[in-house]
Amino acid sequence: MVAAGVSVVILFPLSILMGVISAISDTEGSVAVTFGFSLFSITLAPLFYGFTTYIFALIAAWMYNLVAQKTGGIAYRTQQEKAQEHEQHV
């Protein structure tokens, strides 16, 4: 979801900018191509980025689990701090 959201935030202004630049330029047909790309970037690109990020995250988690079985993984320990350390003295 984060990848899809970031792609919308990045690609929406970019597609508007491309549309403006295409409308200003003198080449014929460039507006239609730019509109097609803009439509793609606003609708399909976030879905594509979200899906591919999900797939690659699954692959990375699978690879980590394979390595963690052989090496023991990452150890992380926490401990509670004493209440006196949190008090501020005036």
Side-chain angles (χ1 to χ4, degrees):
M1 294 300 293
V2 172
V6 168
S7 70
V8 168
V9 170
I10 292 172
L11 292 176
F12 184 72
L14 182 65
S15 65
I16 291 173
L17 180 65
M18 286 180 60
V20 169
I21 291 172
S22 175
I24 293 172
S25 70
D26 292 335
T27 58
E28 290 195 21
S30 65
V31 175
V33 171
T34 304
F35 178 74
F37 178 75
S38 297
L39 187 62
F40 168 77
S41 67
I42 293 171
T43 57
L44 297 178
L47 296 174
F48 176 75
Y49 286 132
F51 178 73
T52 54
T53 302
Y54 178 75
I55 296 299
F56 281 109
L58 285 177
I59 293 170
W62 174 72
M63 290 173 56
Y64 170 77
N65 286 332
L66 288 178
V67 172
Q69 287 177 352
K70 304 287 185 205
T71 62
I74 299 172
Y76 181 75
R77 296 183 185 172
T78 61
Q79 63 183 14
Q80 291 182 342
E81 295 181 16
K82 295 179 182 178
Q84 294 174 353
E85 293 176 1
H86 291 294
E87 294 178 9
Q88 293 181 358
H89 299 286
V90 180

